[in-house]
Amino acid sequence: METVTALDETPPSFSVAFINDAMTKIYIYCIYEKLDLKSAPDADAFSLTDKNGNPNGKVTGVALYNVPDAGHYYVESWIELTVSEIANPDDLTVWYTAQADRLKDASGNAAKDFKLTVTSADMSITNVYVNVAAGIMMVEISPLINLLEKGIPTEHIAVTNNGVPVDIISAGPTYSIHDMRLYYTFTPVETENLNFEVVYNPETGTKDLAFDDVSGPIAFKGEIQYIPVIDTSNVKAVYDSEEHEIILTFDEDVQISKLSCNCAYVLNVNGTEYRLRGWNNSIQNNNQIRITVGNHVPELSGNVTITYDPLHNDDGIEDMAGAKIGKFGPIPVEIK
């Protein structure tokens, strides 16, 4: 059998742009594609303005880079602009006017016109969510660390409660170019006197996405969100017959962060069970889950219940701290 490989005809796209502290370089990142390193545009293909379109600096040089093939990174390639005469780095937009046969990906597709807001790559802890009873917390740092230089810094976060170190058991990250979320399990704290502090202590040689050194300590200066254990005894279920969907509503203070429920819901319709399969659910209003019932299930009527019962391949429902919700139900479904 002959194998036909689909041609890549999609131009490269660019997602974010960062300026370095010295205001001499701007880094523009391409998430999904390697670039043709010989196709760098002329410097005058780029312009720098403020939000009103007034000039705000000059581009004097352009270089293209690809990340190594080995390793797990957040991007495939980037543009490095050499810049000067930037008057206001806090109000900066970079524009690219396409040049023929320039700024191409590895398949030869040339980039189209684009513009991006340029921001600082300085890193900060932006959110901390703690589920004390479950012993789980999430620390969000934005933007992402430069993974070409160092790995995700799960071991470089210090957590204390009232000055006493919290006993961290395990750690694991998720990340995009915009941020990294570090999830920790810890020995549950059995006290109502909560005063968590979170500090990031970068290791020597850590760089940000503008290739500047990251120095610390970097302490979280916002309000830590203490997440209560989710009470599933009050969950309500309503069937929307027009959309053929079920809406699960939790208590108002519940904050659902993540759904990975491919086969997690079981409907009982007048004694007949249906396990709903597929990525058929979404979060709305933080405390609601909207579930598409699917065409294999007839319009609901009569005695209907729903049970949340995730299988082994489902990560399930998680709160903002990363704590998973256990099996609950059956819940009567109100038909509307």
Side-chain angles (χ1 to χ4, degrees):
M1 180 182 294
E2 182 181 0
T3 300
V4 178
T5 303
L7 295 176
D8 173 13
E9 298 179 345
T10 303
S13 60
F14 300 86
S15 300
V16 291
F18 298 101
I19 187 169
N20 68 348
D21 292 342
M23 296 190 294
T24 57
K25 301 286 185 179
I26 291 175
Y27 298 89
I28 303 172
Y29 285 94
C30 180
I31 305 295
Y32 299 112
E33 296 191 82
K34 294 281 200 299
L35 296 176
D36 175 354
L37 302 185
K38 297 180 180 179
S39 67
D42 298 329
D44 60 11
F46 294 90
S47 59
L48 303 173
T49 70
D50 63 18
K51 62 185 176 183
N52 295 319
N54 301 311
N56 187 13
K58 296 194 304 185
V59 177
T60 59
V62 182
L64 306 181
Y65 296 90
N66 290 327
V67 301
D69 289 330
H72 299 282
Y73 303 107
Y74 45 91
V75 298
E76 289 292 340
S77 54
W78 72 92
I79 307 167
E80 179 190 84
L81 303 181
T82 301
V83 298
S84 63
E85 301 179 22
I86 292 174
N88 184 2
D90 297 322
D91 182 7
L92 183 59
T93 300
V94 59
W95 303 73
Y96 172 67
T97 301
Q99 289 187 323
D101 211 32
R102 293 291 180 178
L103 194 51
K104 297 186 295 185
D105 63 20
S107 298
N109 304 301
K112 298 182 181 299
D113 295 358
F114 66 81
K115 72 170 183 176
L116 291 169
T117 299
V118 182
T119 60
S120 167
D122 290 349
M123 298 169 61
S124 64
I125 302 175
T126 49
N127 287 294
V128 177
Y129 294 91
V130 182
N131 187 321
V132 176
I136 294 180
M137 68 182 299
M138 187 274 283
V139 177
E140 181 182 76
I141 300 177
S142 179
L144 183 63
I145 194 174
N146 192 323
L147 292 180
L148 292 168
E149 304 293 332
K150 296 289 182 181
I152 296 292
T154 50
E155 298 179 357
H156 299 276
I157 303 294
V159 184
T160 59
N161 181 41
N162 293 305
V164 178
V166 172
D167 181 23
I168 300 295
I169 298 172
S170 64
T174 64
Y175 59 90
S176 71
I177 196 168
H178 301 288
D179 58 42
M180 50 187 168
R181 297 185 175 188
L182 312 180
Y183 293 89
Y184 296 91
T185 63
F186 58 90
T187 302
V189 177
E190 297 179 1
T191 178
E192 295 182 358
N193 183 18
L194 299 175
N195 184 22
F196 272 57
E197 293 184 348
V198 178
V199 177
Y200 169 34
N201 296 296
E203 64 178 314
T204 302
T206 299
K207 303 280 187 182
D208 63 22
L209 289 172
F211 292 86
D212 286 322
D213 291 327
V214 179
S215 58
I218 300 172
F220 179 56
K221 299 178 180 179
E223 180 180 354
I224 289 179
Q225 301 294 310
Y226 297 102
I227 306 299
V229 174
I230 293 179
D231 182 0
T232 58
S233 65
N234 297 323
V235 177
K236 307 297 183 185
V238 176
Y239 173 62
D240 181 341
S241 58
E242 290 188 3
E243 300 295 335
H244 200 39
E245 294 178 336
I246 293 174
I247 297 92
L248 299 181
T249 301
F250 295 76
D251 290 338
E252 288 186 2
D253 61 351
V254 169
Q255 297 187 61
I256 298 169
S257 171
K258 180 181 176 182
L259 291 176
S260 180
C261 303
N262 188 34
C263 307
Y265 307 104
V266 178
L267 274 182
N268 187 304
V269 183
N270 301 311
T272 300
E273 283 197 350
Y274 301 88
R275 183 172 285 274
L276 305 183
R277 299 180 181 274
W279 305 108
N280 57 356
N281 50 170
S282 60
I283 302 167
Q284 63 179 28
N285 302 325
N286 289 330
N287 70 325
Q288 291 182 317
I289 298 174
R290 180 175 288 271
I291 304 164
T292 301
V293 174
N295 295 331
H296 67 295
V297 181
E299 183 173 335
L300 303 185
S301 63
N303 185 16
V304 181
T305 64
I306 187 168
T307 299
Y308 170 70
D309 181 21
L311 299 181
H312 61 86
N313 60 334
D314 285 318
D315 286 338
I317 304 170
E318 296 182 8
D319 67 15
M320 295 295 289
K324 298 182 187 299
I325 299 176
K327 176 181 176 180
F328 63 85
I331 299 168
V333 177
E334 180 184 355
I335 308 296
K336 285 192 173 182

